Structures are given as structure tokens and as C-alpha cells.
Amino acid sequence: MPSNTGELRHVMLGSIFKPEVPLGSARDTPITCHASATGKGKLHGSPECRALRSAASVNQFDIPFDEAVERLCTNCRWALFTDSPILPLGAAVNDVDSLTIWLDRGPEDEDDIKSERDAAIALSTGDYPPHANDVGDAAEEDDEAGHDEEWERYDRARDLRYGRLSHWRRLHSYLIRSNQAVADYPFLALWAEGLQSRLAAVLDAERRAFADLVQPARLLEAAAVRVLPTPRFSSDPGFAGLGAEAEKTFRRAWYEWSRRATWS
């Protein structure tokens, strides 16, 4: 039971808790409410709520949380002691309910779809424009004119891929937080299941969109290099051209390649 001592926190209970949200043991926790003398209408966290300004008189009373939840004003804040069981439950409910912001979004417009397709085509050949063959002087000027445009195309493609990856990871973080909330409050599982299932479908769509912009060979290389042992330098005559710095140069080259492969 809460001690009713210590600091207070002011929480918009009506914006967090909906009638369909299970309350567990917090359902019996009393909260102080204010309502018009008629006893009808919403319950408020403060007698100063603008919805009560026209009331002839206002009554204050304590009521079990589960009896109040259907009538909570969505504009009011309730003063709760920091050890109230409603506070951590509200945080868990928020972690589940926040999934809704990623659901039921409109489809991408035609320009975005075209950009995705062009990015997939470009990145299928590598992260940067392929090296052009040597050309004669007559064609050199035309090639230079298209050079910058092609590099910009690949820049856009890489940015789009990074955006897909970031969004995918962001969605994962929201799902993980909701899973932790359900682990802390198992009675939320049935209510959370629908939202989590829908977000899982959105996640899979994001995964497929990101996969279209990735080269599998590069992914394999990035995964493998993390477990590769650092090779030992060989005094093979083939390295003689590197001179006295041969071993140092070799190790630097290995470090640069493995770092780039890891972050590819």
C-alpha cells in the first residue's frame, strides 16, 4: 500500500488509462477526485479544471481507481504520491500504448516508392558509383557533367538506407520496451497482444524494405570479420617492397580493412 508520504507527482491519468486497460491490483487504489455537485459528468484531478467553472459547486471525494477510470478527465492532472502503484503501472501502459504511433500510417507516396527503387538499383552494384572506363577527350566533358549527379544519386541511396535502418531499430526499441512492460505486469498481456502483433507486421515490412538496400555479401563480411583472428605477419619476400615498415604497414592495412568491413 502507498505510504501517502513524500513527494507528489502530477499525472494526466485520463490520457494514460482507458477503460479497456487492465489495472491489476492498482484497481483498488483510492484517488482523490473532484466533480460537480450533481455527481454527473467527468471526474477531475483539480477543482480548478476549466470544465468545472460553470458548476454551481464542486465536491471532493476518494474513489477506487477502477470505478473512476471510465470518467477521468483527459485534461486534468492528479496529484499522486511517488510510491503510488498507479505510477509504475502508468509508465508500463505508456510503453505499450506508444506502439500505436507507428500503426495505421498512410502508404508511401509515389515519389518515395520511386526513390526506394532507384536506391535499390544503385546499391546493388556497391555503395559508390562504378569506376568508368577510360574515354577519349571528346567524351571527357560529358562524363564530368554526369559525374557529380551520379555521386549525388549514391549519396541519396546511402542516406535512404541509413534512414531505413534507424527506423527499423527505433521500432525494435519500442517493441522491446512494451515486452518489458508486459513482463513486469503480466495482466497487460492480453491487452498488449493486439498492438504488439500489429507492430511486428510493421517491423517485418521495414526489415524487407531495408534488406532490398543491402548487399548480402557485405553483411556476411561484416559478421565474419568480428570473429576473425588477427593474421600474423609473414616475412615473405613478396612484402620486401614495403621496406622496414613492412610489418607496421601490414597491420595498419588489416586494421583499416576490418574496421571498414565491420561498419559496412
Side-chain angles (χ1 to χ4, degrees):
M1 292 293 292
S3 64
N4 289 343
T5 60
E7 297 182 359
L8 289 171
R9 289 186 59 187
H10 294 79
V11 185
M12 299 182 72
L13 297 179
S15 297
I16 299 173
F17 292 95
K18 306 297 187 294
E20 66 271 18
V21 176
L23 302 178
S25 59
R27 62 180 176 271
D28 298 322
T29 303
I31 61 171
T32 300
C33 295
H34 301 81
S36 64
T38 63
K40 299 179 180 180
K42 295 289 186 180
L43 302 179
H44 303 272
S46 168
E48 303 301 323
C49 179
R50 62 172 179 260
L52 292 173
R53 290 175 183 171
S54 60
S57 61
V58 176
N59 293 335
Q60 174 180 315
F61 51 91
D62 291 342
I63 184 174
F65 189 39
D66 65 335
E67 295 181 23
V69 72
E70 292 189 11
R71 298 173 56 194
L72 296 176
C73 173
T74 57
N75 296 315
C76 280
R77 294 181 181 272
W78 270 259
L80 301 176
F81 287 99
T82 52
D83 59 353
S84 170
I86 296 176
L87 288 177
L89 175 59
V93 169
N94 262 334
D95 284 341
V96 175
D97 195 52
S98 63
L99 302 185
T100 58
I101 67 177
W102 306 110
L103 304 174
D104 298 328
R105 292 194 164 192
E108 294 182 330
D109 60 36
E110 189 62 29
D111 288 340
D112 290 336
I113 294 174
K114 289 180 179 178
S115 296
E116 291 264 354
R117 289 172 180 168
D118 184 68
I121 293 171
L123 295 174
S124 66
T125 63
D127 278 14
Y128 301 94
H131 292 292
N133 296 326
D134 291 337
V135 295
D137 293 339
E140 184 175 351
E141 184 175 346
D142 291 338
D143 285 348
E144 288 181 356
H147 180 269
D148 291 343
E149 182 177 344
E150 190 68 0
W151 275 88
E152 289 175 2
R153 178 194 179 201
Y154 277 78
D155 285 343
R156 290 193 301 270
R158 291 194 304 275
D159 288 343
L160 195 152
R161 181 179 61 191
Y162 179 77
R164 280 291 188 186
L165 174 61
S166 298
H167 187 51
W168 183 31
R169 295 181 65 180
R170 187 181 304 112
L171 291 180
H172 265 292
S173 70
Y174 274 79
L175 186 60
I176 289 171
R177 282 163 50 186
S178 74
N179 285 335
Q180 184 59 55
V182 172
D184 293 339
Y185 295 94
F187 57 84
L188 293 177
L190 188 61
W191 166 68
E193 183 180 6
L195 291 174
Q196 291 177 323
S197 297
R198 291 170 62 195
L199 186 69
V202 174
L203 266 170
D204 189 58
E206 285 294 323
R207 178 193 61 78
R208 286 184 277 108
F210 173 58
D212 288 341
L213 303 172
V214 175
Q215 299 178 64
R218 294 290 179 86
L219 281 179
L220 180 61
E221 186 177 80
V225 75
R226 296 176 184 272
V227 296
L228 289 177
T230 302
R232 296 181 179 179
F233 174 73
S234 171
S235 57
D236 188 277
F239 296 110
L242 299 178
E245 298 291 319
E247 182 173 358
K248 183 177 180 181
T249 301
F250 177 83
R251 293 187 182 279
R252 184 185 301 116
W254 167 259
Y255 169 77
E256 288 296 330
W257 173 82
S258 60
R259 183 181 65 84
R260 289 174 182 272
T262 299
W263 289 100
S264 173

